Amino acid sequence: MKSAFTLLLVLGAAGASQLGCSDDAATPDDGEGGSSSSSGAVASGGSTTTGSGGGGGSPSSTSASTTAASTTAASTTSASSTSASTTAASTTGSGTGGAGGEEPLGDEIPMEIPTPTNGAGEIRTQTTVLKNAANGGQDVYDFNNQKIGVNNTADCDDGEGQKTVFEVEHGVTVKNLIIAGGLPAGNGIVCKGDCTLDHVYWEDVCEDAATNSKDGATMRINSSIALHSADKIFQHNAKGGSTTIVTNSYIADFGKLWRSCGDCTANGGPRNLILDNVRVDKVKTTVAGANQNYGDTVTITNLYVKGGYNERDDKPKICQEYRAVTDHMGESEKLHGGASQWNTATCHVSKSDIKSW
């Protein structure tokens, strides 16, 4: 099987981060309230961070327990081979679309979050900046399945404004990291350029799991798990042909897996999503929401839906098209009555690529 992940992407990294972005309105679609998580804070552990980041030892931390590994590549053994304390959510259902009972092909999809190697985890006091080698850091940070959060004070129900756990500079790869669930999950990971998040696990998403924020950049998520979000999992604010790629991953109990910003300051596009060999479960709104008027594209192959896609009821929604707005001038609106779109200029998705597990 040829994965969409093997597509050659030639992208220019330019422009500034998009700030002040919200989704379609103050609250997500289908009556869901805020981009919140239901869990409370995990127990604090370890030391605090300086907030400035750096390479060598523990990124922005004085604790030896949070030391990031060297730049040599680590094993990409699936998390399912490790004993787990957090088990992925599962539901039953009866879908009428897709090929029933098929198993995902290609690389193994992790289905359980590994047991943290630092016990109850570490809640840092400030955002940790992971600097690249050119700026005195390193290009690969391997956290050896440590669980880390941030002392976030903004409630998850507020929708925006939570503290970011990790800010990742251009060219950096983050591996084998568990983002603590609930309030300490904050705004998760923000990529400030090209980045790769490999075997990263979000226990319970607060605002967003990860955000693509640099115009022209590519954010890659591989062999990862993200659980429990009332709204978005992956937020895409960057413009200028920027791309988010999600492969070999498990995403469950969420509003939208990916959303192109519906109302950013100086909003625009195009923004692109490539989704391949991904399992989803308990989709509340849609897998992907793209802005037709800004030239966004969504390419989905080998999507495995728990219980299958119900074609008669169009559940879950797979790819929805929107008309976005800019600078809070009105609200983003769903097109085509919100129905899933197939093989359009925006939604490069075929029903044959939506399968059941």
Side-chain angles (χ1 to χ4, degrees):
M1 178 194 70
K2 276 195 174 180
S3 166
F5 184 58
T6 62
L7 292 174
L8 178 62
L9 299 172
V10 181
L11 299 163
S17 303
Q18 300 302 306
L19 302 176
C21 178
S22 63
D23 197 7
D24 317 317
T27 57
D29 300 316
D30 301 343
E32 299 297 335
S35 52
S36 65
S37 159
S38 59
S39 299
V42 299
S44 296
S47 64
T48 60
T49 93
T50 64
S52 60
S58 168
S60 303
S61 173
T62 57
S63 169
S65 68
T66 58
T67 301
S70 66
T71 57
T72 54
S75 168
T76 55
T77 302
S78 168
S80 60
S81 65
T82 315
S83 61
S85 60
T86 305
T87 303
S90 178
T91 60
T92 58
S94 56
T96 60
E102 294 187 25
E103 284 298 313
L105 303 174
D107 291 348
E108 187 175 2
I109 297 175
M111 295 298 292
E112 293 182 334
I113 296 177
T115 301
T117 56
N118 60 340
E122 177 187 1
I123 306 305
R124 299 183 171 183
T125 59
Q126 300 181 55
T127 298
T128 300
V129 177
L130 299 182
K131 295 187 175 183
N132 57 33
N135 289 329
Q138 53 200 56
D139 289 338
V140 178
Y141 290 85
D142 189 333
F143 285 88
N144 189 32
N145 289 332
Q146 293 177 88
K147 180 163 72 173
I148 298 173
V150 71
N151 185 22
N152 176 43
T153 58
D155 191 87
C156 296
D157 289 331
D158 291 342
E160 303 287 339
Q162 283 81 5
K163 191 180 295 184
T164 297
V165 184
F166 287 96
E167 184 178 291
V168 179
E169 289 191 345
H170 176 72
V172 167
T173 293
V174 179
K175 304 178 70 170
N176 303 312
L177 170 66
I178 303 168
I179 299 293
L183 198 62
N187 191 36
I189 296 173
V190 174
C191 287
K192 310 296 284 187
D194 292 348
C195 72
T196 298
L197 310 179
D198 183 42
H199 287 84
V200 175
Y201 312 98
W202 291 268
E203 291 182 329
D204 193 347
V205 175
C206 183
E207 183 175 340
D208 302 317
T211 301
N212 187 342
S213 70
K214 182 69 173 178
D215 287 1
T218 297
M219 179 173 76
R220 293 175 171 85
I221 299 100
N222 180 60
S223 296
S224 296
I225 295 174
L227 307 176
H228 314 305
S229 175
D231 195 15
K232 303 175 296 295
I233 295 290
F234 301 119
Q235 174 70 32
H236 196 139
N237 294 348
K239 302 178 295 185
S242 51
T243 301
T244 296
I245 302 172
V246 185
T247 55
N248 311 318
S249 295
Y250 173 58
I251 316 293
D253 188 24
F254 60 90
K256 306 176 189 75
L257 188 152
W258 175 89
R259 179 68 171 102
S260 175
C261 187
D263 182 10
C264 276
T265 301
N267 204 7
R271 303 177 176 112
N272 308 296
L273 171 68
I274 295 173
L275 197 72
D276 181 61
N277 198 35
V278 172
R279 291 194 193 205
V280 297
D281 186 13
K282 299 171 71 176
V283 183
K284 300 170 187 174
T285 303
T286 188
V287 173
N291 300 324
Q292 183 197 74
N293 57 322
Y294 292 147
D296 296 348
T297 66
V298 171
T299 302
I300 297 178
T301 51
N302 301 305
L303 177 67
Y304 295 84
V305 177
K306 180 71 172 181
Y309 167 67
N310 187 324
E311 186 172 357
R312 181 188 63 189
D313 296 332
D314 190 19
K315 289 185 178 179
K317 299 289 191 293
I318 303 299
C319 181
Q320 289 181 318
E321 296 182 3
Y322 288 78
R323 180 178 293 109
V325 298
T326 186
D327 301 308
H328 314 300
M329 297 174 64
E331 291 185 0
S332 175
E333 64 172 310
K334 294 176 185 175
L335 302 177
H336 317 292
S340 297
Q341 298 300 294
W342 308 96
N343 300 306
T344 67
T346 300
C347 295
H348 304 170
V349 189
S350 299
K351 290 180 182 177
S352 61
D353 262 309
I354 312 304
K355 308 172 192 298
S356 176
W357 68 281

